[in-house]
Amino acid sequence: MKQGELRRTLIVATFLCFSLFVYLYWQQGTRPLHSLVLTYKRIYTSSRKSYPAQWTWHCVNQKCERHIVSEKSIITGLSTCNMLCGSTQLWPQPTGPVTLGSKALSFNHAQLQFANSTLLNEALASFNDTVLSLVRSDVTKRPDLNKFIVRIHITHSAISRLKLKTDESYSLTLKCTKNKEIVASIGAKTYFGARHGLETLAQLIWWDDYRQTLMVLKGATIQDKPKFPYRGLMIDTARNFMSIESLKRVLIGMSATKLNIFHWHLSDSQSFPVVLPRVPQLAKTGAYGPEKTYLPEEVKALVEFARVRGIRTILEVDTPAHAGNGWDWGPREGLGELAVCVNERPWSLYCGEPPCGQLNPENPNVYDVLEKIYRDLLELSGEKEIFHLGGDEVNLECWAQHLQKTNYSDLHDLWGEFTLKALERLQKANDNQPIPHVILWSSKLTKRPYLTKYLNKSQMTVQSWGGSQWSDTPDLIADGYQVLISHVDAWYLDCGFGRWRETGEAACDPYRPWQVVYNHRPWQQFRLNKNQILGGEACLWTEQVDESNLDTRLWPRAAAFAERMWSDPELDTTTFGIQEDVYTRLSTLRDRKSKKSKKSWAKP
Amino acid sequence: MCTNYTGFKLLLCCLLLSTVRGWVWECTPAGSCQRRDPHVNDTFFNSLDVCRLVCGDRGNIWPLPANYTTKNKDLVYIDAKNIVFSIDCPTTSANIYLGNVVDYFKDVINENDEQNCSKTKYKLILNVNVANSILILNYKTSEEYSLDITTDSSSKTVTVNIIAVTIFGARHAFESLLQLIETESTADETCFVTLKEVSIQDKPKYKHRGLLLDSARNFLSVEVIKKNIIAMGMSKLNTLHWHMSDSQSFPFVSARVPNMTSYGAYSAAQTYSPYEIRDLLQFAKLHGVRIIPEIDGPAHTGSGWQWGADAGLGDLIVCYNKLPYKSFCIQPPCGQMNPANPNLYQVLGNIYADILDLWTDGLDLFHMGGDEVYIPCWNSSQEIVNYIDNNRSPEAFHKLWSEYQEKALSAFDAVNADATEPSSAILWTSSLTEISHVEKYVPKERYIIQTWVSKSDPLPKELLDLGYKLIISTKDSWYLDHGFWGTTKYYTWRTVYDNTILNDAAVLGGEVCMWGELVDNSNVEPRVWPRAAAAAERLWTNPSTTSIEATSRFFSHNDRLARRGVRTSPVVPKYCSQSHSDCIGYLVT
């Protein structure tokens, strides 16, 4: 370039800069003066900034220690240090043998390949989402790996429905070939086992904040299967409504921790949000509002969303108690009173919490309505192995005051007969096939002498929710019943927030921190026959919960419960302390999960 | 809701939805809103919020105004999106502030959509008159205001007159006005409504109405702090006590001492830069909140202070991260300032200078912390033991502690030389503030004491009798972190509300405290809200009535917080807020 050209270019460039400056200055001048002051609208976002490394973690005695970064230090992020130091970072901990490599390799998300796996589209898509959700930036550096191949082999690929006897085991190997290819092979008998394998594989992959890349362990072999077939979580959507979106977040958390049963407590005396095709009157008169409803299609879609994540959905319409709003249309349609003491005041005389309401067992039309409800629930969930009848907290005073011809000397018999009639209608609704496992909440009816009088032990399972020190659970087991454990003093996640009613006591204070949830192991403490224990269920009642705090109230405590049900780790019976690796593994899980979901987990 | 469906499914969906009932509400003679079946009676309201606006004598404003009267409770439809504002205030700066408040007001109104409103809409004229040019919120600032709504049917005009001494009072009036404007929706239209004639004269009972947030145990993002500030403004809480640092981390970026965050932040991203803090202060001010910074000392320090020896300044702290921690502090990691090292005060002075640079309104009040000093920690340092001439008696350590207070306060005064009068410092109650020797160690003309003892403890009264000014944080009612650790209990909003504090001119007010050991961005909002709002009414109104009488208004305020995007917890099943009187456990005549 000649000197003259350079000069001319510079002059033009200077002129352009000057014009730009004048333009900007002019623009600024036309804005009102106060707009230059920071206003309340400017919410600062820090996510785009990048920062230098400040801390590095060193693995010392199988623990990661934090050190300040100096010029000499090798910089290792906390996630990478934890993955390569001491214990596994898997949650729940596998029950079979595990060997893990001590080296890690970096890779790009685009290098993932799935071999011969058309049957697993949904599971792989959700695995892919999980890996993608770890990625924090799209900085592309040359990765250590050339390829990351995921191979899955399923021997019984036709099984598409999870049952209690379904084999959920899997084996996983991770190998690095000479060509710098990682091959992850998952072997399982069923889709559900393979899906669990993918969840475990996802936990061997992490994001390194300092290297700004995805990492994977260089080698691993894992064999794993659950200790209990029923690993449930119950959510109540009647006390306060939860959107489908928020329930999906719950299901994603469940699938990541290998929980496999979503017990959906659909209705209660407060509201009836689900629009049932055969009995739309229930939601019509019982929902909190037109926008606080679940449409049949939405329920079906959610059931499928859960199924592909290895979770079966059990729909519960609680009866004969816990039913009120939504049941007041009987007289208008010539069916008589379907429910009694609905919204009766003062509530404390007729029920445990406001508003009251209980089905009318003397009205034969009630059973016709129940049959229709059961048909709809069976259709919506497609679930024909397990059914939940509800059946808790019947207040006999409500019936005694409101029923016409109470020729029962003991109203428990009325309750028992109601239950038998409901069971009969359930069977009719299921094309006259008996449902193998029908669950009832524990109550006076599930105690002697009514228990053996009304409940058939080959079919009925009792969900035991009383205190763990009560005799309920051991008695049921002694009497030969199958039991599902939901002890209120360990696995009721709603407890601890004081009394919400103006009178009466707090239902079940105090709050149980995750350590209590984790350490609860009644089969060992009371030497119960494990063969009669179907499994356990953590329950979240929602008198004081809605979408604003659903996630934080569930997690990480439901995850602690999940490991108890999947791995059932031994307890240190002298100190009842929790092993240090449990703390680290849980906090790793929390970091992964809170990166994944915006509404994240509460601090453990 | 049916938007995801097409064809037959869409038809089915709409059919099903159209059958779901929209409730209506009756204002019962007892003054509460009762859910009813629709089409029973056309005097019922089809929106719960509108029913609450009209129903009852006390109105629906939270916190309850000192004086609230309605001469005409008829509803009037208003053109809320075209309000004519007329602002009369003495200075340009006050005018700019009120301009921003008006913008905020409009934004909140605009969050609601008016749709096809076919009603006759009255024009809304809003006159604001502020007498005083004060731009700084402190104990001397008047927060009182009056708000009058009058309606002229002939000209179809609703006039709102707001009169306040300061811009902060006027801002409170705007919050009250927002609570007097609701939307009424039917299947076809949504309209803004208000009451025809309302008259409010309002001022707070306590000057200091605070929320403590702890961003040291776990980091809280600026966005989350702002969400809390919005909710504070809505509830007329005026003080954010910012517990910025503790032994676990030091997230405040000090321009003069950058080592504090390099050695003390959880990560470089988990810090508060000067820019962010200025922005936050401005934001808070707009919401009627002043931020009081606390750099806790001499205990509750650790992370961030470790660099002294390497930098040739000697040990600024002692027993950092010492184990077993139970022998040296309350919770790990341990750490306590080294009062024997004169360089400590140099560093503190620099940090204070940075704070003063950012708090451009000045700091006539700041928090020095001062709780839970653990003598065994100091006792374990040879340097400190030598400094006090090997006298290891409790008195010697208390003397050392008070020497620290004096020197730290002088370090503050030295960098605050521009102030017209010396600032007040707040101290937590501790063994230094024990009645027997508090006057010896804590001069009452400089210090305000924040008590954090239980309801039954006589300490606040005793300190008051000695002539101290107090801020009260009743531990067994207002500690919002309780219920999740140890044997502590969770306090419901009723317990928070029903906690009354001493009524005396020297009791400046109170604070609810959200300590951060088990709280971070994920759960801080639902843990604080709506409980902090319950304390807000106690501190603003201090009514002689209890939470029982406030119930339905409280539910309404909680709904309001949720609508504004605050992640506030429900306190009852929705049924009980839709039909409160059904959930009362005793017979009401």
Side-chain angles (χ1 to χ4, degrees):
Chain A
M1 196 188 273
K2 288 186 202 134
Q3 231 185 11
E5 276 176 28
L6 183 65
R7 200 180 302 131
R8 275 193 292 276
T9 314
L10 280 173
I11 287 169
V12 169
T14 315
F15 178 72
L16 284 175
C17 284
F18 181 72
S19 327
L20 188 68
F21 178 74
V22 168
Y23 172 76
L24 287 175
Y25 183 78
W26 195 255
Q27 284 294 308
Q28 170 215 301
T30 56
R31 287 155 66 195
L33 198 61
H34 71 260
S35 74
L36 296 176
V37 181
L38 288 171
T39 68
Y40 77 95
K41 275 185 197 168
R42 295 206 192 163
I43 290 186
Y44 181 82
T45 50
S46 57
S47 58
R48 296 249 164 235
K49 272 201 266 179
S50 82
Y51 294 95
Q54 177 176 1
W55 304 106
T56 177
W57 279 265
H58 299 162
C59 181
V60 181
N61 293 331
Q62 311 210 322
K63 268 181 264 174
C64 286
E65 284 183 357
R66 193 178 80 166
H67 292 277
I68 198 146
V69 168
S70 67
E71 277 166 29
K72 291 168 281 181
S73 46
I74 302 161
I75 298 170
T76 310
L78 179 59
S79 54
T80 300
C81 181
N82 273 335
M83 288 303 293
L84 303 176
C85 181
S87 77
T88 78
Q89 294 302 314
L90 299 174
W91 194 282
Q93 187 77 284
T95 54
V98 176
T99 56
L100 296 178
S102 60
K103 289 210 171 84
L105 297 166
S106 65
F107 71 101
N108 284 335
H109 172 255
Q111 294 176 310
L112 272 176
Q113 290 184 8
F114 303 110
N116 58 10
S117 49
T118 47
L119 288 165
L120 278 152
N121 280 341
E122 296 101 338
L124 288 172
S126 118
F127 170 78
N128 198 45
D129 284 352
T130 307
V131 176
L132 210 50
S133 74
L134 298 170
V135 177
R136 291 276 77 106
S137 76
D138 41 13
V139 183
T140 43
K141 279 187 210 126
R142 203 183 145 65
D144 302 335
L145 283 182
N146 292 323
K147 251 186 211 171
F148 189 140
I149 301 163
V150 180
R151 274 185 220 287
I152 293 167
H153 182 71
I154 299 175
T155 51
H156 298 73
S157 54
I159 294 173
S160 62
R161 247 185 194 290
L162 184 63
K163 299 223 160 139
L164 289 171
K165 292 251 154 62
T166 304
D167 190 312
E168 292 181 273
S169 69
Y170 68 91
S171 65
L172 167 68
T173 62
L174 205 57
K175 273 191 190 129
C176 186
T177 68
K178 274 179 238 144
N179 316 328
K180 291 262 172 187
E181 295 178 4
I182 281 266
V183 181
S185 311
I186 293 171
K189 295 225 170 59
T190 66
Y191 169 87
F192 299 97
R195 201 211 64 82
H196 290 320
L198 282 169
E199 292 290 352
T200 303
L201 176 60
Q203 295 187 359
L204 300 174
I205 295 169
W206 69 98
W207 179 258
D208 187 313
D209 275 326
Y210 289 166
R211 293 182 61 183
Q212 292 284 296
T213 175
L214 284 169
M215 307 285 287
V216 61
L217 276 192
K218 199 175 169 187
T221 62
I222 295 170
Q223 280 177 30
D224 198 8
K225 64 174 183 196
K227 288 280 170 73
F228 288 97
Y230 190 118
R231 306 182 301 280
L233 182 63
M234 189 219 74
I235 308 283
D236 162 12
T237 58
R239 270 53 178 265
N240 277 300
F241 183 80
M242 308 286 165
S243 71
I244 291 283
E245 223 31 62
S246 66
L247 294 176
K248 283 185 177 172
R249 290 199 306 270
V250 172
L251 291 166
I252 290 171
M254 289 175 69
S255 67
T257 51
K258 303 191 175 83
L259 288 171
N260 68 353
I261 294 193
F262 168 47
H263 171 181
W264 189 351
H265 184 81
L266 276 167
S267 67
D268 215 294
S269 63
Q270 285 86 353
S271 79
F272 201 105
V274 63
V275 180
L276 294 178
R278 287 180 178 83
V279 209
Q281 297 94 321
L282 292 162
K284 181 184 173 185
T285 63
Y288 283 136
E291 71 291 356
K292 308 277 190 208
T293 54
Y294 305 109
L295 298 172
E297 293 304 320
E298 290 177 310
V299 175
K300 276 191 192 164
L302 195 69
V303 167
E304 178 61 10
F305 185 90
R307 189 193 68 82
V308 304
R309 283 166 180 76
I311 302 162
R312 65 214 287 213
T313 305
I314 291 173
L315 303 175
E316 178 203 357
V317 168
D318 202 350
T319 62
H322 290 284
N325 286 285
W327 288 89
D328 63 350
W329 45 276
R332 276 200 301 282
E333 301 200 3
L335 300 180
E337 291 288 359
L338 299 171
V340 290
C341 45
V342 177
N343 302 344
E344 189 88 12
R345 297 190 213 170
W347 61 265
S348 42
L349 297 182
Y350 308 106
C351 59
E353 69 179 53
C356 297
Q358 225 155 265
L359 294 192
N360 177 359
E362 290 184 332
N363 181 349
N365 296 320
V366 163
Y367 303 98
D368 293 340
V369 175
L370 278 180
E371 188 181 323
K372 286 183 189 165
I373 293 176
Y374 294 152
R375 265 183 209 283
D376 280 341
L377 296 182
L378 290 167
E379 271 174 30
L380 290 174
S381 67
E383 174 60 58
K384 301 195 169 183
E385 191 193 22
I386 302 178
F387 194 89
H388 207 299
L389 272 187
D392 56 329
E393 299 187 311
V394 170
N395 186 307
L396 296 179
E397 193 56 29
C398 159
W399 278 347
Q401 297 280 329
H402 292 80
L403 296 186
Q404 307 298 317
K405 34 179 184 178
T406 46
N407 43 9
Y408 290 89
S409 59
D410 180 354
L411 283 170
H412 288 98
D413 292 317
L414 180 60
W415 181 3
E417 281 164 25
F418 170 91
T419 308
L420 291 178
K421 285 183 195 163
L423 269 170
E424 199 184 299
R425 294 306 185 115
L426 173 63
Q427 185 156 334
K428 260 180 101 179
N430 192 34
D431 303 327
N432 285 316
Q433 297 298 309
I435 301 273
H437 298 275
V438 177
I439 306 177
L440 274 179
W441 292 105
S442 58
S443 66
K444 279 292 269 296
L445 197 70
T446 66
K447 279 184 194 284
R448 302 162 189 165
Y450 310 109
L451 174 70
T452 44
K453 188 168 171 194
Y454 291 105
L455 307 179
N456 173 357
K457 66 184 80 164
S458 65
Q459 186 185 25
M460 305 306 287
T461 296
V462 179
Q463 181 163 13
S464 182
W465 64 277
S468 57
Q469 306 298 319
W470 299 3
S471 64
D472 290 35
T473 315
D475 285 354
L476 284 162
I477 286 185
D479 288 345
Y481 286 83
Q482 289 275 313
V483 176
L484 178 63
I485 294 178
S486 293
H487 290 148
V488 59
D489 51 3
W491 291 347
Y492 264 34
L493 304 182
D494 55 306
C495 300
F497 293 84
R499 64 179 169 93
W500 58 269
R501 293 157 287 200
E502 288 177 11
T503 51
E505 278 309 298
C508 55
D509 279 7
Y511 179 88
R512 293 352 182 268
W514 71 264
Q515 292 90 336
V516 172
V517 175
Y518 189 85
N519 270 351
H520 190 52
R521 208 184 179 211
W523 41 91
Q524 184 216 31
Q525 199 190 343
F526 305 106
R527 303 181 190 285
L528 305 175
N529 179 2
K530 264 173 101 174
N531 293 331
Q532 280 171 256
I533 298 173
L534 213 53
E537 194 169 275
C539 301
L540 183 64
W541 301 100
T542 58
E543 284 88 349
Q544 302 178 80
V545 179
D546 68 6
E547 282 182 52
S548 72
N549 54 358
L550 169 68
D551 306 66
T552 59
R553 198 133 313 166
L554 276 181
W555 309 106
R557 293 185 297 157
F561 167 77
E563 179 154 299
R564 172 57 53 213
M565 297 316 296
W566 178 279
S567 331
D568 193 21
E570 292 293 325
L571 290 180
D572 181 341
T573 45
T574 48
T575 64
F576 288 97
I578 288 177
Q579 302 285 326
E580 213 166 299
D581 77 285
V582 177
Y583 283 87
T584 323
R585 286 189 296 109
L586 189 60
S587 99
T588 299
L589 181 73
R590 180 178 192 267
D591 283 351
R592 295 175 66 89
K593 295 304 296 175
S594 54
K595 275 179 186 165
K596 194 167 168 179
S597 60
K598 293 262 158 17
K599 294 226 174 177
S600 51
W601 291 23
K603 293 302 289 182
Chain B
M1 203 178 164
C2 295
T3 47
N4 297 333
Y5 302 105
T6 52
F8 175 68
K9 280 186 184 168
L10 177 71
L11 193 72
L12 186 76
C13 170
C14 294
L15 209 69
L16 286 171
L17 263 194
S18 65
T19 67
V20 171
R21 189 182 281 173
W23 300 102
V24 295
W25 281 268
E26 180 193 0
C27 175
T28 64
S32 74
C33 290
Q34 173 77 34
R35 194 177 85 172
R36 299 282 185 213
D37 288 350
H39 319 304
V40 179
N41 183 329
D42 53 11
T43 63
F44 291 171
F45 300 94
N46 50 20
S47 147
L48 173 58
D49 294 310
V50 176
C51 178
R52 283 161 167 170
L53 182 64
V54 176
C55 205
D57 300 333
R58 300 179 123 196
N60 199 34
I61 294 176
W62 192 277
L64 188 68
N67 193 338
Y68 175 91
T69 46
T70 44
K71 285 198 206 94
N72 186 343
K73 281 211 214 172
D74 290 350
L75 290 171
V76 54
Y77 296 93
I78 49 168
D79 190 2
K81 302 229 168 175
N82 291 296
I83 300 173
V84 182
F85 292 94
S86 145
I87 296 177
D88 176 17
C89 66
T91 60
T92 320
S93 337
N95 208 24
I96 291 170
Y97 179 91
L98 289 173
N100 277 328
V101 172
V102 166
D103 285 347
Y104 158 74
F105 178 83
K106 285 181 182 164
D107 279 0
V108 178
I109 292 283
N110 285 331
E111 279 168 18
N112 293 298
D113 277 330
E114 184 181 85
Q115 280 165 347
N116 323 315
C117 183
S118 65
K119 300 284 194 321
T120 310
K121 285 188 279 185
Y122 280 44
K123 187 176 170 185
L124 185 61
I125 298 174
L126 213 168
N127 302 313
V128 185
N129 184 301
V130 171
N132 193 313
S133 61
I134 281 171
L135 291 170
I136 293 173
L137 179 61
N138 59 27
Y139 291 150
K140 291 180 204 137
T141 311
S142 156
E143 294 179 273
E144 71 184 285
Y145 69 91
S146 72
L147 187 161
D148 286 279
I149 302 180
T150 49
T151 300
D152 178 28
S153 315
S154 56
S155 64
K156 302 218 178 324
T157 312
V158 174
T159 308
V160 178
N161 285 318
I162 291 174
I163 301 174
V165 180
T166 70
I167 52 172
F168 299 100
R171 198 212 69 86
H172 289 321
F174 273 96
E175 293 285 3
S176 296
L177 181 59
L178 280 171
Q179 301 186 3
L180 288 166
I181 298 175
E182 295 290 354
T183 54
E184 188 188 61
S185 296
T186 61
D188 316 310
E189 56 181 354
T190 303
C191 298
F192 286 100
V193 294
T194 189
L195 297 171
K196 277 195 171 162
E197 283 188 48
V198 179
S199 173
I200 298 173
Q201 291 83 40
D202 201 6
K203 62 175 181 187
K205 283 278 163 62
Y206 292 98
K207 298 174 214 171
H208 187 109
R209 306 181 303 279
L211 163 67
L212 176 147
L213 289 180
D214 167 5
S215 59
R217 269 56 176 264
N218 280 296
F219 184 77
L220 297 174
S221 72
V222 170
E223 287 93 311
V224 164
I225 298 176
K226 284 184 176 179
K227 289 272 285 295
N228 281 288
I229 289 173
I230 291 172
M232 289 175 75
M234 290 171 70
S235 313
K236 301 191 177 88
L237 286 171
N238 69 353
T239 306
L240 175 65
H241 172 176
W242 191 0
H243 185 81
M244 282 184 137
S245 68
D246 213 294
S247 67
Q248 288 86 352
S249 81
F250 198 103
F252 167 65
V253 177
S254 162
R256 290 178 177 80
V257 201
N259 270 348
M260 298 308 297
T261 39
S262 325
Y263 284 77
Y266 284 131
S267 76
Q270 286 165 305
T271 56
Y272 304 103
S273 69
Y275 172 81
E276 287 171 299
I277 292 178
R278 266 197 210 104
D279 175 41
L280 200 58
L281 286 165
Q282 193 104 22
F283 185 91
K285 189 169 178 177
L286 186 75
H287 289 265
V289 174
R290 73 160 152 169
I291 301 183
I292 294 183
E294 177 190 354
I295 301 290
D296 205 346
H300 288 285
T301 53
S303 301
W305 294 87
Q306 319 90 307
W307 49 274
D310 289 346
L313 297 181
D315 286 333
L316 299 171
I317 47 164
V318 293
C319 56
Y320 180 59
N321 214 356
K322 202 160 175 169
L323 295 173
Y325 79 84
K326 280 181 182 166
S327 311
F328 303 99
C329 62
I330 304 290
Q331 59 180 221
C334 294
Q336 220 152 274
M337 286 172 177
N338 177 6
N341 182 350
N343 293 323
L344 169 69
Y345 304 101
Q346 194 68 39
V347 175
L348 262 179
N350 281 331
I351 295 171
Y352 289 143
D354 286 327
I355 289 177
L356 284 161
D357 283 351
L358 296 172
W359 266 255
T360 47
D361 280 352
L363 270 177
D364 64 335
L365 184 64
F366 74 110
H367 207 300
M368 291 184 81
D371 55 331
E372 300 183 315
V373 167
Y374 221 62
I375 286 172
C377 165
W378 276 346
N379 207 353
S380 74
S381 154
Q382 198 53 51
E383 184 185 351
I384 290 175
V385 172
N386 289 345
Y387 184 77
I388 55 173
D389 302 325
N390 265 311
N391 177 356
R392 294 167 187 252
S393 67
E395 296 77 46
F397 283 109
H398 280 124
K399 208 169 138 256
L400 178 68
W401 183 357
S402 79
E403 181 189 319
Y404 160 83
Q405 292 298 346
E406 211 180 302
K407 287 187 178 166
L409 194 54
S410 317
F412 182 89
D413 290 343
V415 291
N416 192 31
D418 298 344
T420 47
E421 51 190 297
S423 303
S424 301
I426 309 173
L427 272 187
W428 293 105
T429 46
S430 66
S431 61
L432 196 69
T433 64
E434 274 165 24
I435 292 300
S436 56
H437 59 216
V438 60
E439 288 178 294
K440 192 157 103 199
Y441 297 129
V442 185
K444 51 186 79 121
E445 58 286 358
R446 284 309 297 275
Y447 287 100
I448 292 167
I449 296 178
Q450 180 164 14
T451 63
W452 57 288
V453 293
S454 62
K455 257 182 260 189
S456 57
D457 198 307
L459 183 67
K461 182 79 179 68
E462 289 166 354
L463 287 169
L464 197 62
D465 290 344
L466 289 179
Y468 283 94
K469 282 186 248 150
L470 302 183
I471 294 162
I472 293 178
S473 294
T474 315
K475 194 178 178 179
D476 51 0
S477 297
W478 285 0
Y479 262 41
L480 303 183
D481 60 314
H482 281 196
F484 302 93
W485 55 272
T487 55
T488 58
K489 264 181 69 181
Y490 180 88
Y491 311 120
T492 65
W493 76 270
R494 292 187 188 282
T495 309
V496 173
Y497 188 96
D498 293 334
N499 180 48
T500 52
I501 60 172
L502 291 170
N503 202 347
D504 188 294
V507 175
L508 301 164
E511 275 179 15
V512 286
C513 301
M514 183 69 265
W515 296 105
E517 286 89 347
L518 299 172
V519 169
D520 70 3
N521 287 336
S522 72
N523 56 352
V524 66
E525 282 171 71
R527 200 148 294 176
V528 171
W529 302 100
R531 294 187 294 160
E537 180 153 305
R538 178 55 56 206
L539 291 164
W540 177 277
T541 321
N542 196 18
S544 55
T545 47
T546 66
S547 61
I548 300 271
E549 289 82 351
T551 304
S552 110
R553 228 164 15 84
F554 186 73
F555 292 167
S556 175
H557 190 58
N558 201 19
D559 289 350
R560 199 180 276 144
L561 288 167
R563 279 202 301 277
R564 199 78 67 77
V566 178
R567 282 178 56 207
T568 181
S569 297
V571 292
V572 284
K574 193 176 185 67
Y575 184 89
C576 296
S577 86
Q578 283 190 339
S579 200
H580 168 229
S581 36
D582 284 340
C583 295
I584 297 173
Y586 42 88
L587 274 175
V588 183
T589 45

